[in-house]
Amino acid sequence: MKKAAATRLNILQKAFELIYINGYQTTSIDHIIATTQVTKGAFFYHFKNKEEMGLAIINEILKPTLATSFLEPLQKEQDPIVVIYNLMYDLLLKNEFLKAEYGCPVANFTQEMTPWNIDFSKALAELTQEWTKAMIAAIEKGQQNGIVRKDVNAMQVTLFVVSGYWGIRNFGKLENNKTVYLSYLKELKNYLNTLK
Amino acid sequence: MKKAAATRLNILQKAFELIYINGYQTTSIDHIIATTQVTKGAFFYHFKNKEEMGLAIINEILKPTLATSFLEPLQKEQDPIVVIYNLMYDLLLKNEFLKAEYGCPVANFTQEMTPWNIDFSKALAELTQEWTKAMIAAIEKGQQNGIVRKDVNAMQVTLFVVSGYWGIRNFGKLENNKTVYLSYLKELKNYLNTLK
DNA sequence: TAAAAAACATACTAAATGGTATGTTTTATT
DNA sequence: AATAAAACATACCATTTAGTATGTTTTTTA
């Protein structure tokens, strides 16, 4: 990687960490450049302002994570009920990128930036739609395979499941504890099994 | 009401509106006093700092709303499945205090303040616990009445339902649209009916 | 290897922020 | 009505903020 690209990525990664922990508004550029050991000149060479950096975090940090941790697992040729459950299990309990006490980065950004920042809203809505589309596809494939009932509304179920995920992440944040995830996962399993 | 108390309440209500729309961090005291037509002297006479005002919003604005809109409906002597569904229906589609594009105030605060602000976290966790306790009680009563299956875990179901509520509110915010609520409610009904 | 462009560094600025110091006015109490 | 306390008003301040102006260094290209 070129050195400039490395500097840029370094800024984005450290900035993401800070924002994930403290929020976008609360994380100042001064704070970011202090922890990255990068000067203000370098920062504003790579990003024309704070907002552009925030959007770059979504596109260059969150989007790749989405692909590997949220989409790929759904594209396996398996029982979608097992696949969705395992996905949630991994995201909530195993994923090292995501921490219980800081919630879901996409949900955090959504809460902080929408509806007043249109660019953020659009970028976040796109990310979310990629995930929901993949989940809907997985469920519909399960219907074709006869694993999931034909009368199940895949879009409806996806909305229900993703909402639950966002919500339980908020719970984990509130209680600063992963144990709520265990109860949630049990009930998610119960629910998913009713789709058979 | 005494005039001083009216001033205080006016600040809290206007501040809540601004914070509900723009977030706690982004809402400045200057902005609050500008829209309330109250001077800085008055503001800091009633609240020793911004944080105290924020906590007062939780205790004096959100808590009463919780009681009337979130708890009372659950305490009716009825089928808890109907009661919970109707509660969600009212909260998502009828409630005038809550707007789709701004999400759930408690979830918003949680996302923005936890885990780094302990006082906010505690106040918000208390609010949430009041709601979950009421919902658990409603479900357990339904089990005693034979409406809800005995093998249902009331706490687990409550966690699942509340998570879904928080999550769909985030969806509504993201899409800036109430139509997602309709799909969510349909699937919620399906889910709740499996508890019979 | 010289020139040019890219990448970074330093010092600064205007605006906004939470908060204070010091008043004045209003209300309650004797 | 006099006094004291409560309630509010105004002017100010130190700090933080995003962002800029103007450099210097490093890398690429001809």
PDB file of all heavy atoms in Angstrom, chain A residues 1-2 7 10 13 26 29 31 39 49 59 65 68 74-75 78 82-83 86 90 97 103 112 119 152 159 166 170:
ATOM      1  N   MET A   1       0.836  -1.204   0.000  1.00  0.00           N
ATOM      2  CA  MET A   1       0.000   0.000   0.000  1.00  0.00           C
ATOM      3  C   MET A   1       0.870   1.252   0.000  1.00  0.00           C
ATOM      4  O   MET A   1       1.884   1.305   0.672  1.00  0.00           O
ATOM      5  CB  MET A   1      -0.887   0.000   1.246  1.00  0.00           C
ATOM      6  CG  MET A   1      -1.964   1.047   1.173  1.00  0.00           C
ATOM      7  SD  MET A   1      -3.032   1.109   2.628  1.00  0.00           S
ATOM      8  CE  MET A   1      -2.653  -0.386   3.518  1.00  0.00           C
ATOM      9  N   LYS A   2       0.444   2.217  -0.787  1.00  0.00           N
ATOM     10  CA  LYS A   2       1.157   3.487  -0.780  1.00  0.00           C
ATOM     11  C   LYS A   2       1.061   4.116   0.609  1.00  0.00           C
ATOM     12  O   LYS A   2       0.073   3.948   1.306  1.00  0.00           O
ATOM     13  CB  LYS A   2       0.540   4.430  -1.822  1.00  0.00           C
ATOM     14  CG  LYS A   2       1.058   4.183  -3.233  1.00  0.00           C
ATOM     15  CD  LYS A   2       0.379   5.152  -4.206  1.00  0.00           C
ATOM     16  CE  LYS A   2       0.686   4.760  -5.653  1.00  0.00           C
ATOM     17  NZ  LYS A   2      -0.240   5.398  -6.617  1.00  0.00           N
ATOM     18  N   THR A   7      -1.814   6.250   5.497  1.00  0.00           N
ATOM     19  CA  THR A   7      -2.150   7.350   6.414  1.00  0.00           C
ATOM     20  C   THR A   7      -3.662   7.552   6.463  1.00  0.00           C
ATOM     21  O   THR A   7      -4.249   7.647   7.532  1.00  0.00           O
ATOM     22  CB  THR A   7      -1.491   8.662   5.939  1.00  0.00           C
ATOM     23  OG1 THR A   7      -0.096   8.448   5.772  1.00  0.00           O
ATOM     24  CG2 THR A   7      -1.725   9.771   6.935  1.00  0.00           C
ATOM     25  N   ASN A  10      -5.316   4.738   8.228  1.00  0.00           N
ATOM     26  CA  ASN A  10      -5.023   4.840   9.656  1.00  0.00           C
ATOM     27  C   ASN A  10      -5.956   5.846  10.330  1.00  0.00           C
ATOM     28  O   ASN A  10      -6.521   5.584  11.393  1.00  0.00           O
ATOM     29  CB  ASN A  10      -3.563   5.246   9.843  1.00  0.00           C
ATOM     30  CG  ASN A  10      -3.158   5.284  11.314  1.00  0.00           C
ATOM     31  OD1 ASN A  10      -2.677   6.304  11.814  1.00  0.00           O
ATOM     32  ND2 ASN A  10      -3.367   4.206  12.026  1.00  0.00           N
ATOM     33  N   GLN A  13      -9.474   4.317  10.495  1.00  0.00           N
ATOM     34  CA  GLN A  13      -9.624   3.255  11.488  1.00  0.00           C
ATOM     35  C   GLN A  13      -9.658   3.805  12.907  1.00  0.00           C
ATOM     36  O   GLN A  13     -10.519   3.436  13.713  1.00  0.00           O
ATOM     37  CB  GLN A  13      -8.501   2.222  11.339  1.00  0.00           C
ATOM     38  CG  GLN A  13      -8.728   1.282  10.161  1.00  0.00           C
ATOM     39  CD  GLN A  13      -7.536   0.387   9.878  1.00  0.00           C
ATOM     40  OE1 GLN A  13      -6.407   0.703  10.269  1.00  0.00           O
ATOM     41  NE2 GLN A  13      -7.777  -0.711   9.179  1.00  0.00           N
ATOM     42  N   THR A  26     -19.273  13.973  19.340  1.00  0.00           N
ATOM     43  CA  THR A  26     -18.373  14.137  20.484  1.00  0.00           C
ATOM     44  C   THR A  26     -16.922  13.930  20.107  1.00  0.00           C
ATOM     45  O   THR A  26     -16.028  14.395  20.817  1.00  0.00           O
ATOM     46  CB  THR A  26     -18.760  13.134  21.586  1.00  0.00           C
ATOM     47  OG1 THR A  26     -20.166  12.900  21.520  1.00  0.00           O
ATOM     48  CG2 THR A  26     -18.416  13.674  22.954  1.00  0.00           C
ATOM     49  N   ILE A  29     -11.950  16.492  15.734  1.00  0.00           N
ATOM     50  CA  ILE A  29     -10.835  16.267  14.833  1.00  0.00           C
ATOM     51  C   ILE A  29      -9.511  16.343  15.602  1.00  0.00           C
ATOM     52  O   ILE A  29      -8.606  15.540  15.371  1.00  0.00           O
ATOM     53  CB  ILE A  29     -10.874  17.297  13.680  1.00  0.00           C
ATOM     54  CG1 ILE A  29     -12.114  17.040  12.809  1.00  0.00           C
ATOM     55  CG2 ILE A  29      -9.615  17.223  12.824  1.00  0.00           C
ATOM     56  CD1 ILE A  29     -12.390  18.125  11.781  1.00  0.00           C
ATOM     57  N   HIS A  31      -9.025  15.443  18.582  1.00  0.00           N
ATOM     58  CA  HIS A  31      -8.892  14.169  19.285  1.00  0.00           C
ATOM     59  C   HIS A  31      -8.412  13.073  18.323  1.00  0.00           C
ATOM     60  O   HIS A  31      -7.569  12.242  18.677  1.00  0.00           O
ATOM     61  CB  HIS A  31     -10.227  13.795  19.919  1.00  0.00           C
ATOM     62  CG  HIS A  31     -10.133  12.693  20.930  1.00  0.00           C
ATOM     63  ND1 HIS A  31     -11.212  12.206  21.624  1.00  0.00           N
ATOM     64  CD2 HIS A  31      -9.065  11.971  21.369  1.00  0.00           C
ATOM     65  CE1 HIS A  31     -10.810  11.237  22.427  1.00  0.00           C
ATOM     66  NE2 HIS A  31      -9.529  11.069  22.287  1.00  0.00           N
ATOM     67  N   THR A  39      -0.877  15.087  11.734  1.00  0.00           N
ATOM     68  CA  THR A  39      -1.112  16.519  11.936  1.00  0.00           C
ATOM     69  C   THR A  39      -2.377  16.970  11.211  1.00  0.00           C
ATOM     70  O   THR A  39      -2.921  16.259  10.369  1.00  0.00           O
ATOM     71  CB  THR A  39       0.067  17.358  11.428  1.00  0.00           C
ATOM     72  OG1 THR A  39       0.202  17.145  10.034  1.00  0.00           O
ATOM     73  CG2 THR A  39       1.350  17.000  12.155  1.00  0.00           C
ATOM     74  N   ASN A  49     -13.457  17.884   4.898  1.00  0.00           N
ATOM     75  CA  ASN A  49     -14.035  18.278   6.188  1.00  0.00           C
ATOM     76  C   ASN A  49     -14.423  17.031   6.988  1.00  0.00           C
ATOM     77  O   ASN A  49     -14.244  15.903   6.525  1.00  0.00           O
ATOM     78  CB  ASN A  49     -15.237  19.221   5.991  1.00  0.00           C
ATOM     79  CG  ASN A  49     -16.251  18.628   5.026  1.00  0.00           C
ATOM     80  OD1 ASN A  49     -16.440  17.418   4.981  1.00  0.00           O
ATOM     81  ND2 ASN A  49     -16.881  19.483   4.247  1.00  0.00           N
ATOM     82  N   ASN A  59     -18.144   4.122   4.043  1.00  0.00           N
ATOM     83  CA  ASN A  59     -17.861   3.441   2.782  1.00  0.00           C
ATOM     84  C   ASN A  59     -16.600   2.578   2.795  1.00  0.00           C
ATOM     85  O   ASN A  59     -16.533   1.571   2.106  1.00  0.00           O
ATOM     86  CB  ASN A  59     -17.781   4.466   1.649  1.00  0.00           C
ATOM     87  CG  ASN A  59     -19.145   5.058   1.338  1.00  0.00           C
ATOM     88  OD1 ASN A  59     -20.145   4.347   1.269  1.00  0.00           O
ATOM     89  ND2 ASN A  59     -19.191   6.373   1.182  1.00  0.00           N
ATOM     90  N   THR A  65     -16.719  -4.448   6.172  1.00  0.00           N
ATOM     91  CA  THR A  65     -17.134  -5.293   7.300  1.00  0.00           C
ATOM     92  C   THR A  65     -18.493  -5.908   7.040  1.00  0.00           C
ATOM     93  O   THR A  65     -18.729  -7.079   7.344  1.00  0.00           O
ATOM     94  CB  THR A  65     -17.196  -4.454   8.596  1.00  0.00           C
ATOM     95  OG1 THR A  65     -15.939  -3.816   8.787  1.00  0.00           O
ATOM     96  CG2 THR A  65     -17.521  -5.326   9.794  1.00  0.00           C
ATOM     97  N   THR A  68     -18.046  -8.952   4.647  1.00  0.00           N
ATOM     98  CA  THR A  68     -17.491 -10.189   5.214  1.00  0.00           C
ATOM     99  C   THR A  68     -18.293 -10.741   6.382  1.00  0.00           C
ATOM    100  O   THR A  68     -18.498 -11.946   6.477  1.00  0.00           O
ATOM    101  CB  THR A  68     -16.034  -9.975   5.674  1.00  0.00           C
ATOM    102  OG1 THR A  68     -16.020  -8.909   6.643  1.00  0.00           O
ATOM    103  CG2 THR A  68     -15.137  -9.584   4.520  1.00  0.00           C
ATOM    104  N   LEU A  74     -24.728 -15.124   4.905  1.00  0.00           N
ATOM    105  CA  LEU A  74     -26.101 -15.339   4.425  1.00  0.00           C
ATOM    106  C   LEU A  74     -26.133 -16.019   3.067  1.00  0.00           C
ATOM    107  O   LEU A  74     -27.174 -16.525   2.650  1.00  0.00           O
ATOM    108  CB  LEU A  74     -26.840 -13.997   4.333  1.00  0.00           C
ATOM    109  CG  LEU A  74     -27.304 -13.382   5.648  1.00  0.00           C
ATOM    110  CD1 LEU A  74     -27.816 -11.976   5.418  1.00  0.00           C
ATOM    111  CD2 LEU A  74     -28.384 -14.248   6.299  1.00  0.00           C
ATOM    112  N   GLN A  75     -25.001 -15.989   2.377  1.00  0.00           N
ATOM    113  CA  GLN A  75     -24.997 -16.524   1.017  1.00  0.00           C
ATOM    114  C   GLN A  75     -24.661 -18.015   0.944  1.00  0.00           C
ATOM    115  O   GLN A  75     -24.583 -18.584  -0.137  1.00  0.00           O
ATOM    116  CB  GLN A  75     -24.041 -15.697   0.143  1.00  0.00           C
ATOM    117  CG  GLN A  75     -24.711 -14.426  -0.387  1.00  0.00           C
ATOM    118  CD  GLN A  75     -23.809 -13.217  -0.358  1.00  0.00           C
ATOM    119  OE1 GLN A  75     -22.602 -13.334  -0.189  1.00  0.00           O
ATOM    120  NE2 GLN A  75     -24.383 -12.036  -0.525  1.00  0.00           N
ATOM    121  N   GLN A  78     -27.552 -23.152   2.635  1.00  0.00           N
ATOM    122  CA  GLN A  78     -27.983 -23.922   3.808  1.00  0.00           C
ATOM    123  C   GLN A  78     -29.378 -23.516   4.216  1.00  0.00           C
ATOM    124  O   GLN A  78     -29.973 -22.603   3.670  1.00  0.00           O
ATOM    125  CB  GLN A  78     -27.039 -23.658   4.994  1.00  0.00           C
ATOM    126  CG  GLN A  78     -25.736 -24.434   4.966  1.00  0.00           C
ATOM    127  CD  GLN A  78     -24.888 -24.088   6.173  1.00  0.00           C
ATOM    128  OE1 GLN A  78     -25.378 -23.530   7.140  1.00  0.00           O
ATOM    129  NE2 GLN A  78     -23.602 -24.419   6.102  1.00  0.00           N
ATOM    130  N   VAL A  82     -31.029 -21.736  10.155  1.00  0.00           N
ATOM    131  CA  VAL A  82     -29.749 -21.977  10.830  1.00  0.00           C
ATOM    132  C   VAL A  82     -28.762 -20.861  10.497  1.00  0.00           C
ATOM    133  O   VAL A  82     -28.062 -20.340  11.372  1.00  0.00           O
ATOM    134  CB  VAL A  82     -29.165 -23.350  10.400  1.00  0.00           C
ATOM    135  CG1 VAL A  82     -27.770 -23.539  10.967  1.00  0.00           C
ATOM    136  CG2 VAL A  82     -30.088 -24.481  10.828  1.00  0.00           C
ATOM    137  N   VAL A  83     -28.753 -20.484   9.242  1.00  0.00           N
ATOM    138  CA  VAL A  83     -27.822 -19.458   8.788  1.00  0.00           C
ATOM    139  C   VAL A  83     -28.064 -18.127   9.506  1.00  0.00           C
ATOM    140  O   VAL A  83     -27.132 -17.478   9.983  1.00  0.00           O
ATOM    141  CB  VAL A  83     -27.922 -19.279   7.256  1.00  0.00           C
ATOM    142  CG1 VAL A  83     -27.311 -17.955   6.813  1.00  0.00           C
ATOM    143  CG2 VAL A  83     -27.224 -20.441   6.538  1.00  0.00           C
ATOM    144  N   ASN A  86     -27.132 -18.460  13.237  1.00  0.00           N
ATOM    145  CA  ASN A  86     -25.667 -18.468  13.413  1.00  0.00           C
ATOM    146  C   ASN A  86     -25.067 -17.092  13.154  1.00  0.00           C
ATOM    147  O   ASN A  86     -24.128 -16.677  13.836  1.00  0.00           O
ATOM    148  CB  ASN A  86     -25.028 -19.494  12.480  1.00  0.00           C
ATOM    149  CG  ASN A  86     -25.259 -20.919  12.956  1.00  0.00           C
ATOM    150  OD1 ASN A  86     -25.608 -21.149  14.122  1.00  0.00           O
ATOM    151  ND2 ASN A  86     -25.103 -21.876  12.059  1.00  0.00           N
ATOM    152  N   ASP A  90     -22.932 -15.169  15.915  1.00  0.00           N
ATOM    153  CA  ASP A  90     -21.568 -14.707  15.674  1.00  0.00           C
ATOM    154  C   ASP A  90     -21.434 -13.198  15.879  1.00  0.00           C
ATOM    155  O   ASP A  90     -20.488 -12.723  16.510  1.00  0.00           O
ATOM    156  CB  ASP A  90     -21.118 -15.076  14.253  1.00  0.00           C
ATOM    157  CG  ASP A  90     -20.846 -16.564  14.111  1.00  0.00           C
ATOM    158  OD1 ASP A  90     -20.729 -17.246  15.149  1.00  0.00           O
ATOM    159  OD2 ASP A  90     -20.762 -17.050  12.963  1.00  0.00           O
ATOM    160  N   PHE A  97     -14.910  -7.162  16.061  1.00  0.00           N
ATOM    161  CA  PHE A  97     -15.051  -5.783  15.586  1.00  0.00           C
ATOM    162  C   PHE A  97     -16.136  -5.051  16.383  1.00  0.00           C
ATOM    163  O   PHE A  97     -16.025  -3.856  16.654  1.00  0.00           O
ATOM    164  CB  PHE A  97     -15.425  -5.847  14.098  1.00  0.00           C
ATOM    165  CG  PHE A  97     -15.471  -4.527  13.391  1.00  0.00           C
ATOM    166  CD1 PHE A  97     -14.291  -3.860  13.055  1.00  0.00           C
ATOM    167  CD2 PHE A  97     -16.679  -3.963  13.025  1.00  0.00           C
ATOM    168  CE1 PHE A  97     -14.333  -2.648  12.382  1.00  0.00           C
ATOM    169  CE2 PHE A  97     -16.729  -2.757  12.352  1.00  0.00           C
ATOM    170  CZ  PHE A  97     -15.547  -2.097  12.031  1.00  0.00           C
ATOM    171  N   GLY A 103     -22.639  -0.936  21.076  1.00  0.00           N
ATOM    172  CA  GLY A 103     -23.768  -1.118  20.162  1.00  0.00           C
ATOM    173  C   GLY A 103     -23.381  -1.448  18.735  1.00  0.00           C
ATOM    174  O   GLY A 103     -22.280  -1.925  18.465  1.00  0.00           O
ATOM    175  N   GLU A 112     -27.627   9.104  15.295  1.00  0.00           N
ATOM    176  CA  GLU A 112     -26.999  10.420  15.484  1.00  0.00           C
ATOM    177  C   GLU A 112     -27.169  11.346  14.272  1.00  0.00           C
ATOM    178  O   GLU A 112     -27.266  12.559  14.435  1.00  0.00           O
ATOM    179  CB  GLU A 112     -25.509  10.221  15.788  1.00  0.00           C
ATOM    180  CG  GLU A 112     -24.928  11.313  16.667  1.00  0.00           C
ATOM    181  CD  GLU A 112     -23.520  10.980  17.111  1.00  0.00           C
ATOM    182  OE1 GLU A 112     -23.098   9.811  16.960  1.00  0.00           O
ATOM    183  OE2 GLU A 112     -22.820  11.886  17.604  1.00  0.00           O
ATOM    184  N   ASP A 119     -26.692  12.984   3.378  1.00  0.00           N
ATOM    185  CA  ASP A 119     -25.644  12.114   2.836  1.00  0.00           C
ATOM    186  C   ASP A 119     -25.413  10.898   3.724  1.00  0.00           C
ATOM    187  O   ASP A 119     -25.286   9.774   3.243  1.00  0.00           O
ATOM    188  CB  ASP A 119     -24.347  12.899   2.655  1.00  0.00           C
ATOM    189  CG  ASP A 119     -24.450  13.932   1.541  1.00  0.00           C
ATOM    190  OD1 ASP A 119     -25.171  13.670   0.566  1.00  0.00           O
ATOM    191  OD2 ASP A 119     -23.824  14.996   1.650  1.00  0.00           O
ATOM    192  N   VAL A 152     -44.744 -17.539   4.412  1.00  0.00           N
ATOM    193  CA  VAL A 152     -43.920 -16.577   5.155  1.00  0.00           C
ATOM    194  C   VAL A 152     -43.560 -15.421   4.239  1.00  0.00           C
ATOM    195  O   VAL A 152     -43.215 -15.616   3.078  1.00  0.00           O
ATOM    196  CB  VAL A 152     -42.639 -17.273   5.682  1.00  0.00           C
ATOM    197  CG1 VAL A 152     -41.564 -16.245   6.015  1.00  0.00           C
ATOM    198  CG2 VAL A 152     -42.972 -18.138   6.881  1.00  0.00           C
ATOM    199  N   LEU A 159     -37.269  -7.643   8.146  1.00  0.00           N
ATOM    200  CA  LEU A 159     -37.454  -6.397   8.894  1.00  0.00           C
ATOM    201  C   LEU A 159     -37.554  -6.686  10.385  1.00  0.00           C
ATOM    202  O   LEU A 159     -36.983  -5.968  11.218  1.00  0.00           O
ATOM    203  CB  LEU A 159     -38.746  -5.730   8.407  1.00  0.00           C
ATOM    204  CG  LEU A 159     -38.822  -4.219   8.457  1.00  0.00           C
ATOM    205  CD1 LEU A 159     -37.779  -3.601   7.560  1.00  0.00           C
ATOM    206  CD2 LEU A 159     -40.204  -3.763   8.025  1.00  0.00           C
ATOM    207  N   TRP A 166     -30.871  -4.764  15.937  1.00  0.00           N
ATOM    208  CA  TRP A 166     -30.543  -3.391  16.333  1.00  0.00           C
ATOM    209  C   TRP A 166     -30.987  -3.110  17.766  1.00  0.00           C
ATOM    210  O   TRP A 166     -30.283  -2.493  18.548  1.00  0.00           O
ATOM    211  CB  TRP A 166     -31.212  -2.400  15.376  1.00  0.00           C
ATOM    212  CG  TRP A 166     -30.430  -2.141  14.151  1.00  0.00           C
ATOM    213  CD1 TRP A 166     -29.130  -2.485  13.922  1.00  0.00           C
ATOM    214  CD2 TRP A 166     -30.867  -1.460  12.968  1.00  0.00           C
ATOM    215  NE1 TRP A 166     -28.738  -2.071  12.672  1.00  0.00           N
ATOM    216  CE2 TRP A 166     -29.786  -1.439  12.077  1.00  0.00           C
ATOM    217  CE3 TRP A 166     -32.067  -0.873  12.585  1.00  0.00           C
ATOM    218  CZ2 TRP A 166     -29.862  -0.847  10.814  1.00  0.00           C
ATOM    219  CZ3 TRP A 166     -32.149  -0.280  11.338  1.00  0.00           C
ATOM    220  CH2 TRP A 166     -31.060  -0.267  10.459  1.00  0.00           C
ATOM    221  N   ASN A 170     -28.865  -2.239  21.309  1.00  0.00           N
ATOM    222  CA  ASN A 170     -29.118  -1.088  22.173  1.00  0.00           C
ATOM    223  C   ASN A 170     -29.243  -1.541  23.628  1.00  0.00           C
ATOM    224  O   ASN A 170     -28.756  -0.886  24.543  1.00  0.00           O
ATOM    225  CB  ASN A 170     -30.403  -0.383  21.732  1.00  0.00           C
ATOM    226  CG  ASN A 170     -30.379   1.093  22.022  1.00  0.00           C
ATOM    227  OD1 ASN A 170     -29.412   1.781  21.710  1.00  0.00           O
ATOM    228  ND2 ASN A 170     -31.432   1.604  22.642  1.00  0.00           N
TER     229      ASN A 170
END
